[in-house]
Amino acid sequence: EVQLLESGGDLVQPGRPLRLSCAASGFTFTSYAISWVRQAPGKGLEWVSAISGSGGTTYYADSVKGRFTISRDNSENTVYLQMNSLRAEDTAVYYCAKMPGPFIGVAGTGWFDPWGQGTLVTVSS
Amino acid sequence: DIQMTQSPSTLSASVGDRVTITCRASQSIGYWLAWYQQKPGKAPKLLIYEASSLESGVPSRFSGSGSGTDFTLTISGLQPDDFASYYCQQYKSWWTFGQGTKVEIK
């Protein structure tokens, strides 16, 4: 069974860093890209970042570019999201999700299935 | 960036009703559209990809149609388990979601 398990969410002060993890199991990890998607309380879904199966290609939403870094350890079947300079507007549940193949940045390579259960990040003083 | 607009934002319906949710893209996205269902406190679940392909295990009462800029999700015979929020998502250029449609009990 394909499973994704996020961890690392916490209450953090504005300007501080936080690292989220997404541990994957049940599939050939390097054959699939992974994305992070967030959902602010009571709001809709916002794609945050994506990484290819090899880890060689990464993309970021404008709202987090320059502050967040996505990476993966293919020996540990884990994807990370390093979040720096956190802001109140980054408060959200963060989900990781598996994509249909290893490549990203090409049209048609990007629905999300399945998703992890999510981890809550609260940015507040 | 491609913007996705769903309508309505909220829909009141009864068990057994046929329900249609509309999603419009700000520019043509071909067939590169997915639909998700989300229940409170849970992660989204993929229902439809490539505009009309039903994900394995999803009941056949769910169907998707459309291409270019206009898409619909139809639930034929609403069931109690279907009261939830629904999101469309384009993957032609980056990834963007509609604002969501909440299907509530009438």
Side-chain angles (χ1 to χ4, degrees), chain A residues 39 43-45 47 50 59 95 99 107-108 110-113 115-116, chain B residues 32 34 36 38 42-44 46 49-50 55 87 89 91-92 94-95 97:
Chain A
Q39 186 170 36
K43 301 298 184 182
L45 300 165
W47 169 77
Y59 293 108
Y95 298 98
M99 299 176 75
W111 63 83
F112 306 121
D113 177 58
W115 302 52
Chain B
W32 304 132
Y36 301 87
Q38 186 180 33
K42 300 295 185 181
L46 178 70
Y49 60 96
E50 291 179 357
E55 171 69 351
Y87 294 89
Q89 175 233 331
Y91 48 95
K92 168 75 182 302
W94 311 114
W95 303 271
F97 294 87

PDB file of all heavy atoms in Angstrom, chain A residues 39 43-45 47 50 59 95 99 107-108 110-113 115-116, chain B residues 32 34 36 38 42-44 46 49-50 55 87 89 91-92 94-95 97:
ATOM      1  N   GLN A  39      -2.778  24.060   3.084  1.00  0.00           N
ATOM      2  CA  GLN A  39      -4.150  24.536   3.238  1.00  0.00           C
ATOM      3  C   GLN A  39      -4.233  25.351   4.522  1.00  0.00           C
ATOM      4  O   GLN A  39      -4.142  24.793   5.624  1.00  0.00           O
ATOM      5  CB  GLN A  39      -5.118  23.359   3.275  1.00  0.00           C
ATOM      6  CG  GLN A  39      -6.574  23.747   3.288  1.00  0.00           C
ATOM      7  CD  GLN A  39      -7.488  22.547   3.078  1.00  0.00           C
ATOM      8  OE1 GLN A  39      -7.216  21.436   3.544  1.00  0.00           O
ATOM      9  NE2 GLN A  39      -8.571  22.737   2.343  1.00  0.00           N
ATOM     10  N   LYS A  43      -9.435  27.513   4.520  1.00  0.00           N
ATOM     11  CA  LYS A  43      -9.210  27.996   3.152  1.00  0.00           C
ATOM     12  C   LYS A  43      -9.010  26.838   2.179  1.00  0.00           C
ATOM     13  O   LYS A  43      -9.125  25.675   2.538  1.00  0.00           O
ATOM     14  CB  LYS A  43      -7.962  28.904   3.130  1.00  0.00           C
ATOM     15  CG  LYS A  43      -8.061  30.108   4.047  1.00  0.00           C
ATOM     16  CD  LYS A  43      -9.193  31.036   3.673  1.00  0.00           C
ATOM     17  CE  LYS A  43      -9.191  32.275   4.542  1.00  0.00           C
ATOM     18  NZ  LYS A  43     -10.348  33.177   4.221  1.00  0.00           N
ATOM     19  N   GLY A  44      -8.701  27.187   0.924  1.00  0.00           N
ATOM     20  CA  GLY A  44      -8.509  26.198  -0.115  1.00  0.00           C
ATOM     21  C   GLY A  44      -7.077  25.671  -0.180  1.00  0.00           C
ATOM     22  O   GLY A  44      -6.248  25.937   0.683  1.00  0.00           O
ATOM     23  N   LEU A  45      -6.814  24.933  -1.243  1.00  0.00           N
ATOM     24  CA  LEU A  45      -5.534  24.262  -1.421  1.00  0.00           C
ATOM     25  C   LEU A  45      -4.571  25.119  -2.235  1.00  0.00           C
ATOM     26  O   LEU A  45      -4.983  25.761  -3.210  1.00  0.00           O
ATOM     27  CB  LEU A  45      -5.752  22.920  -2.123  1.00  0.00           C
ATOM     28  CG  LEU A  45      -6.665  21.935  -1.392  1.00  0.00           C
ATOM     29  CD1 LEU A  45      -7.104  20.807  -2.319  1.00  0.00           C
ATOM     30  CD2 LEU A  45      -5.978  21.376  -0.167  1.00  0.00           C
ATOM     31  N   TRP A  47      -0.673  24.784  -4.005  1.00  0.00           N
ATOM     32  CA  TRP A  47       0.566  24.068  -4.272  1.00  0.00           C
ATOM     33  C   TRP A  47       1.743  24.914  -3.801  1.00  0.00           C
ATOM     34  O   TRP A  47       1.773  26.132  -4.013  1.00  0.00           O
ATOM     35  CB  TRP A  47       0.694  23.766  -5.762  1.00  0.00           C
ATOM     36  CG  TRP A  47       2.049  23.270  -6.124  1.00  0.00           C
ATOM     37  CD1 TRP A  47       2.551  22.018  -5.909  1.00  0.00           C
ATOM     38  CD2 TRP A  47       3.107  24.025  -6.711  1.00  0.00           C
ATOM     39  NE1 TRP A  47       3.856  21.942  -6.345  1.00  0.00           N
ATOM     40  CE2 TRP A  47       4.217  23.166  -6.839  1.00  0.00           C
ATOM     41  CE3 TRP A  47       3.227  25.345  -7.155  1.00  0.00           C
ATOM     42  CZ2 TRP A  47       5.427  23.583  -7.383  1.00  0.00           C
ATOM     43  CZ3 TRP A  47       4.426  25.763  -7.694  1.00  0.00           C
ATOM     44  CH2 TRP A  47       5.516  24.888  -7.805  1.00  0.00           C
ATOM     45  N   ALA A  50       7.570  21.293  -5.627  1.00  0.00           N
ATOM     46  CA  ALA A  50       7.629  19.959  -6.209  1.00  0.00           C
ATOM     47  C   ALA A  50       9.078  19.580  -6.475  1.00  0.00           C
ATOM     48  O   ALA A  50       9.918  20.448  -6.749  1.00  0.00           O
ATOM     49  CB  ALA A  50       6.824  19.889  -7.503  1.00  0.00           C
ATOM     50  N   TYR A  59      10.677  22.959  -8.149  1.00  0.00           N
ATOM     51  CA  TYR A  59       9.883  24.142  -8.458  1.00  0.00           C
ATOM     52  C   TYR A  59       9.243  24.658  -7.173  1.00  0.00           C
ATOM     53  O   TYR A  59       8.952  23.886  -6.258  1.00  0.00           O
ATOM     54  CB  TYR A  59       8.789  23.828  -9.473  1.00  0.00           C
ATOM     55  CG  TYR A  59       9.311  23.468 -10.845  1.00  0.00           C
ATOM     56  CD1 TYR A  59       9.251  22.161 -11.305  1.00  0.00           C
ATOM     57  CD2 TYR A  59       9.853  24.440 -11.676  1.00  0.00           C
ATOM     58  CE1 TYR A  59       9.723  21.826 -12.556  1.00  0.00           C
ATOM     59  CE2 TYR A  59      10.333  24.115 -12.933  1.00  0.00           C
ATOM     60  CZ  TYR A  59      10.266  22.801 -13.370  1.00  0.00           C
ATOM     61  OH  TYR A  59      10.744  22.469 -14.612  1.00  0.00           O
ATOM     62  N   TYR A  95       0.587  19.179   3.327  1.00  0.00           N
ATOM     63  CA  TYR A  95       0.455  17.816   2.838  1.00  0.00           C
ATOM     64  C   TYR A  95       1.575  17.514   1.834  1.00  0.00           C
ATOM     65  O   TYR A  95       1.905  18.383   1.013  1.00  0.00           O
ATOM     66  CB  TYR A  95      -0.862  17.613   2.094  1.00  0.00           C
ATOM     67  CG  TYR A  95      -2.124  17.812   2.884  1.00  0.00           C
ATOM     68  CD1 TYR A  95      -2.830  19.011   2.831  1.00  0.00           C
ATOM     69  CD2 TYR A  95      -2.648  16.787   3.666  1.00  0.00           C
ATOM     70  CE1 TYR A  95      -4.016  19.189   3.533  1.00  0.00           C
ATOM     71  CE2 TYR A  95      -3.832  16.954   4.380  1.00  0.00           C
ATOM     72  CZ  TYR A  95      -4.507  18.157   4.301  1.00  0.00           C
ATOM     73  OH  TYR A  95      -5.677  18.317   5.008  1.00  0.00           O
ATOM     74  N   MET A  99       3.154  12.135  -7.165  1.00  0.00           N
ATOM     75  CA  MET A  99       2.746  12.531  -8.506  1.00  0.00           C
ATOM     76  C   MET A  99       2.835  11.318  -9.443  1.00  0.00           C
ATOM     77  O   MET A  99       3.388  10.289  -9.074  1.00  0.00           O
ATOM     78  CB  MET A  99       3.592  13.719  -8.936  1.00  0.00           C
ATOM     79  CG  MET A  99       3.388  14.906  -7.992  1.00  0.00           C
ATOM     80  SD  MET A  99       4.408  16.324  -8.323  1.00  0.00           S
ATOM     81  CE  MET A  99       3.575  16.969  -9.778  1.00  0.00           C
ATOM     82  N   ALA A 107       3.969  19.629 -19.277  1.00  0.00           N
ATOM     83  CA  ALA A 107       2.509  19.642 -19.206  1.00  0.00           C
ATOM     84  C   ALA A 107       1.961  18.241 -19.063  1.00  0.00           C
ATOM     85  O   ALA A 107       2.394  17.311 -19.747  1.00  0.00           O
ATOM     86  CB  ALA A 107       1.930  20.299 -20.454  1.00  0.00           C
ATOM     87  N   GLY A 108       1.041  18.069 -18.156  1.00  0.00           N
ATOM     88  CA  GLY A 108       0.367  16.793 -17.992  1.00  0.00           C
ATOM     89  C   GLY A 108       0.982  15.861 -16.996  1.00  0.00           C
ATOM     90  O   GLY A 108       0.586  14.710 -16.893  1.00  0.00           O
ATOM     91  N   GLY A 110       1.064  16.188 -13.619  1.00  0.00           N
ATOM     92  CA  GLY A 110       0.913  16.696 -12.269  1.00  0.00           C
ATOM     93  C   GLY A 110      -0.354  16.572 -11.485  1.00  0.00           C
ATOM     94  O   GLY A 110      -0.758  17.550 -10.885  1.00  0.00           O
ATOM     95  N   TRP A 111      -1.021  15.402 -11.449  1.00  0.00           N
ATOM     96  CA  TRP A 111      -2.057  15.308 -10.409  1.00  0.00           C
ATOM     97  C   TRP A 111      -1.431  14.701  -9.162  1.00  0.00           C
ATOM     98  O   TRP A 111      -0.288  14.209  -9.183  1.00  0.00           O
ATOM     99  CB  TRP A 111      -3.263  14.515 -10.888  1.00  0.00           C
ATOM    100  CG  TRP A 111      -3.012  13.089 -11.224  1.00  0.00           C
ATOM    101  CD1 TRP A 111      -2.964  12.030 -10.348  1.00  0.00           C
ATOM    102  CD2 TRP A 111      -2.800  12.540 -12.516  1.00  0.00           C
ATOM    103  NE1 TRP A 111      -2.730  10.875 -11.029  1.00  0.00           N
ATOM    104  CE2 TRP A 111      -2.626  11.141 -12.361  1.00  0.00           C
ATOM    105  CE3 TRP A 111      -2.749  13.079 -13.795  1.00  0.00           C
ATOM    106  CZ2 TRP A 111      -2.397  10.295 -13.451  1.00  0.00           C
ATOM    107  CZ3 TRP A 111      -2.520  12.242 -14.875  1.00  0.00           C
ATOM    108  CH2 TRP A 111      -2.348  10.873 -14.702  1.00  0.00           C
ATOM    109  N   PHE A 112      -2.157  14.743  -8.054  1.00  0.00           N
ATOM    110  CA  PHE A 112      -1.611  14.347  -6.765  1.00  0.00           C
ATOM    111  C   PHE A 112      -2.405  13.168  -6.202  1.00  0.00           C
ATOM    112  O   PHE A 112      -3.590  13.276  -5.934  1.00  0.00           O
ATOM    113  CB  PHE A 112      -1.672  15.519  -5.777  1.00  0.00           C
ATOM    114  CG  PHE A 112      -1.024  16.784  -6.276  1.00  0.00           C
ATOM    115  CD1 PHE A 112      -1.745  17.956  -6.397  1.00  0.00           C
ATOM    116  CD2 PHE A 112       0.311  16.799  -6.635  1.00  0.00           C
ATOM    117  CE1 PHE A 112      -1.153  19.123  -6.869  1.00  0.00           C
ATOM    118  CE2 PHE A 112       0.911  17.961  -7.101  1.00  0.00           C
ATOM    119  CZ  PHE A 112       0.180  19.122  -7.221  1.00  0.00           C
ATOM    120  N   ASP A 113      -1.700  12.056  -6.004  1.00  0.00           N
ATOM    121  CA  ASP A 113      -2.369  10.868  -5.497  1.00  0.00           C
ATOM    122  C   ASP A 113      -1.384   9.789  -5.118  1.00  0.00           C
ATOM    123  O   ASP A 113      -0.593   9.370  -5.974  1.00  0.00           O
ATOM    124  CB  ASP A 113      -3.314  10.300  -6.564  1.00  0.00           C
ATOM    125  CG  ASP A 113      -3.996   9.011  -6.127  1.00  0.00           C
ATOM    126  OD1 ASP A 113      -4.680   9.050  -5.070  1.00  0.00           O
ATOM    127  OD2 ASP A 113      -3.831   7.985  -6.800  1.00  0.00           O
ATOM    128  N   TRP A 115      -2.271  11.423  -1.002  1.00  0.00           N
ATOM    129  CA  TRP A 115      -1.780  12.483  -0.126  1.00  0.00           C
ATOM    130  C   TRP A 115      -1.492  11.884   1.254  1.00  0.00           C
ATOM    131  O   TRP A 115      -2.114  10.900   1.652  1.00  0.00           O
ATOM    132  CB  TRP A 115      -2.829  13.582   0.044  1.00  0.00           C
ATOM    133  CG  TRP A 115      -3.283  14.247  -1.221  1.00  0.00           C
ATOM    134  CD1 TRP A 115      -3.737  13.651  -2.359  1.00  0.00           C
ATOM    135  CD2 TRP A 115      -3.380  15.653  -1.451  1.00  0.00           C
ATOM    136  NE1 TRP A 115      -4.098  14.601  -3.286  1.00  0.00           N
ATOM    137  CE2 TRP A 115      -3.888  15.847  -2.762  1.00  0.00           C
ATOM    138  CE3 TRP A 115      -3.088  16.791  -0.681  1.00  0.00           C
ATOM    139  CZ2 TRP A 115      -4.103  17.119  -3.313  1.00  0.00           C
ATOM    140  CZ3 TRP A 115      -3.306  18.050  -1.220  1.00  0.00           C
ATOM    141  CH2 TRP A 115      -3.803  18.201  -2.531  1.00  0.00           C
ATOM    142  N   GLY A 116      -0.565  12.521   1.975  1.00  0.00           N
ATOM    143  CA  GLY A 116      -0.380  12.148   3.363  1.00  0.00           C
ATOM    144  C   GLY A 116      -1.492  12.734   4.218  1.00  0.00           C
ATOM    145  O   GLY A 116      -2.399  13.402   3.705  1.00  0.00           O
TER     146      GLY A 116
ATOM    147  N   TRP B  32      -5.836  18.642 -19.056  1.00  0.00           N
ATOM    148  CA  TRP B  32      -4.985  18.519 -17.878  1.00  0.00           C
ATOM    149  C   TRP B  32      -5.698  19.045 -16.631  1.00  0.00           C
ATOM    150  O   TRP B  32      -5.356  20.078 -16.064  1.00  0.00           O
ATOM    151  CB  TRP B  32      -3.661  19.242 -18.093  1.00  0.00           C
ATOM    152  CG  TRP B  32      -2.876  18.825 -19.298  1.00  0.00           C
ATOM    153  CD1 TRP B  32      -2.300  19.640 -20.221  1.00  0.00           C
ATOM    154  CD2 TRP B  32      -2.587  17.479 -19.726  1.00  0.00           C
ATOM    155  NE1 TRP B  32      -1.654  18.899 -21.188  1.00  0.00           N
ATOM    156  CE2 TRP B  32      -1.810  17.574 -20.919  1.00  0.00           C
ATOM    157  CE3 TRP B  32      -2.892  16.201 -19.232  1.00  0.00           C
ATOM    158  CZ2 TRP B  32      -1.335  16.443 -21.600  1.00  0.00           C
ATOM    159  CZ3 TRP B  32      -2.412  15.089 -19.913  1.00  0.00           C
ATOM    160  CH2 TRP B  32      -1.653  15.216 -21.077  1.00  0.00           C
ATOM    161  N   ALA B  34      -7.763  17.756 -12.860  1.00  0.00           N
ATOM    162  CA  ALA B  34      -8.123  16.738 -11.882  1.00  0.00           C
ATOM    163  C   ALA B  34      -9.186  17.284 -10.933  1.00  0.00           C
ATOM    164  O   ALA B  34      -9.312  18.503 -10.761  1.00  0.00           O
ATOM    165  CB  ALA B  34      -6.892  16.308 -11.085  1.00  0.00           C
ATOM    166  N   TYR B  36     -10.799  16.575  -6.897  1.00  0.00           N
ATOM    167  CA  TYR B  36     -10.556  15.967  -5.590  1.00  0.00           C
ATOM    168  C   TYR B  36     -11.775  16.155  -4.695  1.00  0.00           C
ATOM    169  O   TYR B  36     -12.498  17.141  -4.809  1.00  0.00           O
ATOM    170  CB  TYR B  36      -9.349  16.606  -4.895  1.00  0.00           C
ATOM    171  CG  TYR B  36      -8.072  16.502  -5.675  1.00  0.00           C
ATOM    172  CD1 TYR B  36      -7.740  17.458  -6.626  1.00  0.00           C
ATOM    173  CD2 TYR B  36      -7.188  15.448  -5.478  1.00  0.00           C
ATOM    174  CE1 TYR B  36      -6.570  17.371  -7.360  1.00  0.00           C
ATOM    175  CE2 TYR B  36      -6.005  15.345  -6.204  1.00  0.00           C
ATOM    176  CZ  TYR B  36      -5.709  16.309  -7.139  1.00  0.00           C
ATOM    177  OH  TYR B  36      -4.549  16.212  -7.865  1.00  0.00           O
ATOM    178  N   GLN B  38     -12.648  16.374  -0.534  1.00  0.00           N
ATOM    179  CA  GLN B  38     -12.034  16.523   0.777  1.00  0.00           C
ATOM    180  C   GLN B  38     -13.114  16.592   1.847  1.00  0.00           C
ATOM    181  O   GLN B  38     -14.037  17.396   1.746  1.00  0.00           O
ATOM    182  CB  GLN B  38     -11.144  17.769   0.858  1.00  0.00           C
ATOM    183  CG  GLN B  38     -10.379  17.860   2.176  1.00  0.00           C
ATOM    184  CD  GLN B  38      -9.492  19.078   2.279  1.00  0.00           C
ATOM    185  OE1 GLN B  38      -9.817  20.137   1.749  1.00  0.00           O
ATOM    186  NE2 GLN B  38      -8.354  18.947   2.961  1.00  0.00           N
ATOM    187  N   LYS B  42      -9.556  15.832   6.885  1.00  0.00           N
ATOM    188  CA  LYS B  42      -8.919  14.762   6.107  1.00  0.00           C
ATOM    189  C   LYS B  42      -8.175  15.330   4.911  1.00  0.00           C
ATOM    190  O   LYS B  42      -8.421  16.456   4.480  1.00  0.00           O
ATOM    191  CB  LYS B  42      -9.963  13.758   5.621  1.00  0.00           C
ATOM    192  CG  LYS B  42     -10.744  13.078   6.741  1.00  0.00           C
ATOM    193  CD  LYS B  42      -9.838  12.218   7.594  1.00  0.00           C
ATOM    194  CE  LYS B  42     -10.639  11.439   8.629  1.00  0.00           C
ATOM    195  NZ  LYS B  42      -9.753  10.610   9.495  1.00  0.00           N
ATOM    196  N   ALA B  43      -7.262  14.519   4.364  1.00  0.00           N
ATOM    197  CA  ALA B  43      -6.552  14.914   3.159  1.00  0.00           C
ATOM    198  C   ALA B  43      -7.463  14.791   1.941  1.00  0.00           C
ATOM    199  O   ALA B  43      -8.406  13.981   1.936  1.00  0.00           O
ATOM    200  CB  ALA B  43      -5.327  14.032   2.969  1.00  0.00           C
ATOM    201  N   PRO B  44      -7.204  15.575   0.913  1.00  0.00           N
ATOM    202  CA  PRO B  44      -7.959  15.413  -0.335  1.00  0.00           C
ATOM    203  C   PRO B  44      -7.756  14.025  -0.933  1.00  0.00           C
ATOM    204  O   PRO B  44      -6.711  13.392  -0.736  1.00  0.00           O
ATOM    205  CB  PRO B  44      -7.365  16.496  -1.247  1.00  0.00           C
ATOM    206  CG  PRO B  44      -6.812  17.516  -0.302  1.00  0.00           C
ATOM    207  CD  PRO B  44      -6.288  16.722   0.854  1.00  0.00           C
ATOM    208  N   LEU B  46      -8.137  11.926  -4.662  1.00  0.00           N
ATOM    209  CA  LEU B  46      -8.296  12.063  -6.110  1.00  0.00           C
ATOM    210  C   LEU B  46      -9.531  11.313  -6.592  1.00  0.00           C
ATOM    211  O   LEU B  46      -9.719  10.139  -6.275  1.00  0.00           O
ATOM    212  CB  LEU B  46      -7.051  11.517  -6.819  1.00  0.00           C
ATOM    213  CG  LEU B  46      -7.080  11.536  -8.355  1.00  0.00           C
ATOM    214  CD1 LEU B  46      -7.005  12.968  -8.875  1.00  0.00           C
ATOM    215  CD2 LEU B  46      -5.929  10.703  -8.911  1.00  0.00           C
ATOM    216  N   TYR B  49      -8.903  12.321 -13.090  1.00  0.00           N
ATOM    217  CA  TYR B  49      -7.726  12.942 -13.684  1.00  0.00           C
ATOM    218  C   TYR B  49      -7.908  12.969 -15.206  1.00  0.00           C
ATOM    219  O   TYR B  49      -8.773  12.282 -15.749  1.00  0.00           O
ATOM    220  CB  TYR B  49      -6.437  12.208 -13.287  1.00  0.00           C
ATOM    221  CG  TYR B  49      -6.394  10.756 -13.703  1.00  0.00           C
ATOM    222  CD1 TYR B  49      -5.778  10.367 -14.875  1.00  0.00           C
ATOM    223  CD2 TYR B  49      -7.000   9.777 -12.906  1.00  0.00           C
ATOM    224  CE1 TYR B  49      -5.754   9.043 -15.270  1.00  0.00           C
ATOM    225  CE2 TYR B  49      -6.982   8.445 -13.275  1.00  0.00           C
ATOM    226  CZ  TYR B  49      -6.352   8.084 -14.461  1.00  0.00           C
ATOM    227  OH  TYR B  49      -6.332   6.768 -14.843  1.00  0.00           O
ATOM    228  N   GLU B  50      -7.107  13.784 -15.852  1.00  0.00           N
ATOM    229  CA  GLU B  50      -7.232  13.988 -17.303  1.00  0.00           C
ATOM    230  C   GLU B  50      -8.669  14.304 -17.698  1.00  0.00           C
ATOM    231  O   GLU B  50      -9.180  13.810 -18.702  1.00  0.00           O
ATOM    232  CB  GLU B  50      -6.678  12.778 -18.068  1.00  0.00           C
ATOM    233  CG  GLU B  50      -5.168  12.682 -17.940  1.00  0.00           C
ATOM    234  CD  GLU B  50      -4.564  11.490 -18.665  1.00  0.00           C
ATOM    235  OE1 GLU B  50      -5.316  10.681 -19.226  1.00  0.00           O
ATOM    236  OE2 GLU B  50      -3.325  11.377 -18.650  1.00  0.00           O
ATOM    237  N   GLU B  55     -10.536   7.662 -11.239  1.00  0.00           N
ATOM    238  CA  GLU B  55      -9.502   6.998 -10.453  1.00  0.00           C
ATOM    239  C   GLU B  55     -10.012   5.641  -9.975  1.00  0.00           C
ATOM    240  O   GLU B  55     -11.205   5.473  -9.655  1.00  0.00           O
ATOM    241  CB  GLU B  55      -9.117   7.876  -9.262  1.00  0.00           C
ATOM    242  CG  GLU B  55      -8.208   7.240  -8.230  1.00  0.00           C
ATOM    243  CD  GLU B  55      -6.784   6.985  -8.715  1.00  0.00           C
ATOM    244  OE1 GLU B  55      -6.529   7.143  -9.918  1.00  0.00           O
ATOM    245  OE2 GLU B  55      -5.942   6.618  -7.884  1.00  0.00           O
ATOM    246  N   TYR B  87     -12.598  20.085  -5.134  1.00  0.00           N
ATOM    247  CA  TYR B  87     -11.658  21.017  -5.748  1.00  0.00           C
ATOM    248  C   TYR B  87     -11.250  20.535  -7.136  1.00  0.00           C
ATOM    249  O   TYR B  87     -10.983  19.340  -7.330  1.00  0.00           O
ATOM    250  CB  TYR B  87     -10.381  21.126  -4.912  1.00  0.00           C
ATOM    251  CG  TYR B  87     -10.567  21.749  -3.550  1.00  0.00           C
ATOM    252  CD1 TYR B  87     -10.890  20.970  -2.442  1.00  0.00           C
ATOM    253  CD2 TYR B  87     -10.417  23.123  -3.373  1.00  0.00           C
ATOM    254  CE1 TYR B  87     -11.062  21.542  -1.197  1.00  0.00           C
ATOM    255  CE2 TYR B  87     -10.581  23.705  -2.123  1.00  0.00           C
ATOM    256  CZ  TYR B  87     -10.903  22.910  -1.048  1.00  0.00           C
ATOM    257  OH  TYR B  87     -11.067  23.483   0.196  1.00  0.00           O
ATOM    258  N   GLN B  89      -8.254  21.099 -10.159  1.00  0.00           N
ATOM    259  CA  GLN B  89      -6.834  21.440 -10.179  1.00  0.00           C
ATOM    260  C   GLN B  89      -6.312  21.297 -11.608  1.00  0.00           C
ATOM    261  O   GLN B  89      -6.519  20.265 -12.240  1.00  0.00           O
ATOM    262  CB  GLN B  89      -6.031  20.516  -9.269  1.00  0.00           C
ATOM    263  CG  GLN B  89      -4.530  20.708  -9.297  1.00  0.00           C
ATOM    264  CD  GLN B  89      -3.769  19.425  -9.569  1.00  0.00           C
ATOM    265  OE1 GLN B  89      -4.219  18.333  -9.239  1.00  0.00           O
ATOM    266  NE2 GLN B  89      -2.598  19.542 -10.165  1.00  0.00           N
ATOM    267  N   TYR B  91      -3.068  21.099 -14.273  1.00  0.00           N
ATOM    268  CA  TYR B  91      -1.646  20.764 -14.295  1.00  0.00           C
ATOM    269  C   TYR B  91      -1.059  20.932 -15.703  1.00  0.00           C
ATOM    270  O   TYR B  91      -0.129  20.227 -16.089  1.00  0.00           O
ATOM    271  CB  TYR B  91      -1.386  19.374 -13.719  1.00  0.00           C
ATOM    272  CG  TYR B  91      -2.253  18.250 -14.235  1.00  0.00           C
ATOM    273  CD1 TYR B  91      -1.825  17.441 -15.271  1.00  0.00           C
ATOM    274  CD2 TYR B  91      -3.497  17.987 -13.659  1.00  0.00           C
ATOM    275  CE1 TYR B  91      -2.595  16.389 -15.729  1.00  0.00           C
ATOM    276  CE2 TYR B  91      -4.283  16.936 -14.115  1.00  0.00           C
ATOM    277  CZ  TYR B  91      -3.829  16.145 -15.156  1.00  0.00           C
ATOM    278  OH  TYR B  91      -4.605  15.106 -15.607  1.00  0.00           O
ATOM    279  N   LYS B  92      -1.609  21.903 -16.418  1.00  0.00           N
ATOM    280  CA  LYS B  92      -1.037  22.267 -17.725  1.00  0.00           C
ATOM    281  C   LYS B  92       0.245  23.077 -17.512  1.00  0.00           C
ATOM    282  O   LYS B  92       1.253  22.872 -18.189  1.00  0.00           O
ATOM    283  CB  LYS B  92      -2.052  23.089 -18.524  1.00  0.00           C
ATOM    284  CG  LYS B  92      -1.473  23.776 -19.777  1.00  0.00           C
ATOM    285  CD  LYS B  92      -1.226  22.818 -20.892  1.00  0.00           C
ATOM    286  CE  LYS B  92      -0.611  23.482 -22.107  1.00  0.00           C
ATOM    287  NZ  LYS B  92      -1.438  24.579 -22.645  1.00  0.00           N
ATOM    288  N   TRP B  94       2.414  24.554 -14.219  1.00  0.00           N
ATOM    289  CA  TRP B  94       2.464  24.504 -12.753  1.00  0.00           C
ATOM    290  C   TRP B  94       1.193  23.817 -12.244  1.00  0.00           C
ATOM    291  O   TRP B  94       0.667  22.942 -12.932  1.00  0.00           O
ATOM    292  CB  TRP B  94       2.654  25.897 -12.155  1.00  0.00           C
ATOM    293  CG  TRP B  94       3.759  26.651 -12.793  1.00  0.00           C
ATOM    294  CD1 TRP B  94       3.650  27.789 -13.546  1.00  0.00           C
ATOM    295  CD2 TRP B  94       5.155  26.333 -12.796  1.00  0.00           C
ATOM    296  NE1 TRP B  94       4.886  28.177 -13.990  1.00  0.00           N
ATOM    297  CE2 TRP B  94       5.831  27.311 -13.560  1.00  0.00           C
ATOM    298  CE3 TRP B  94       5.901  25.300 -12.224  1.00  0.00           C
ATOM    299  CZ2 TRP B  94       7.208  27.292 -13.748  1.00  0.00           C
ATOM    300  CZ3 TRP B  94       7.278  25.278 -12.419  1.00  0.00           C
ATOM    301  CH2 TRP B  94       7.909  26.259 -13.166  1.00  0.00           C
ATOM    302  N   TRP B  95       0.802  24.153 -11.049  1.00  0.00           N
ATOM    303  CA  TRP B  95      -0.348  23.457 -10.459  1.00  0.00           C
ATOM    304  C   TRP B  95      -1.186  24.467  -9.678  1.00  0.00           C
ATOM    305  O   TRP B  95      -0.699  25.081  -8.717  1.00  0.00           O
ATOM    306  CB  TRP B  95       0.160  22.377  -9.493  1.00  0.00           C
ATOM    307  CG  TRP B  95       1.087  21.384 -10.167  1.00  0.00           C
ATOM    308  CD1 TRP B  95       0.726  20.223 -10.798  1.00  0.00           C
ATOM    309  CD2 TRP B  95       2.516  21.477 -10.285  1.00  0.00           C
ATOM    310  NE1 TRP B  95       1.847  19.590 -11.291  1.00  0.00           N
ATOM    311  CE2 TRP B  95       2.956  20.331 -11.001  1.00  0.00           C
ATOM    312  CE3 TRP B  95       3.467  22.400  -9.861  1.00  0.00           C
ATOM    313  CZ2 TRP B  95       4.293  20.084 -11.312  1.00  0.00           C
ATOM    314  CZ3 TRP B  95       4.808  22.162 -10.161  1.00  0.00           C
ATOM    315  CH2 TRP B  95       5.210  21.014 -10.879  1.00  0.00           C
ATOM    316  N   PHE B  97      -5.279  25.273  -8.008  1.00  0.00           N
ATOM    317  CA  PHE B  97      -6.557  24.720  -7.604  1.00  0.00           C
ATOM    318  C   PHE B  97      -7.665  25.758  -7.723  1.00  0.00           C
ATOM    319  O   PHE B  97      -7.406  26.971  -7.592  1.00  0.00           O
ATOM    320  CB  PHE B  97      -6.505  24.272  -6.137  1.00  0.00           C
ATOM    321  CG  PHE B  97      -5.583  23.111  -5.868  1.00  0.00           C
ATOM    322  CD1 PHE B  97      -4.242  23.321  -5.600  1.00  0.00           C
ATOM    323  CD2 PHE B  97      -6.058  21.807  -5.872  1.00  0.00           C
ATOM    324  CE1 PHE B  97      -3.381  22.260  -5.348  1.00  0.00           C
ATOM    325  CE2 PHE B  97      -5.221  20.733  -5.615  1.00  0.00           C
ATOM    326  CZ  PHE B  97      -3.874  20.967  -5.363  1.00  0.00           C
TER     327      PHE B  97
END
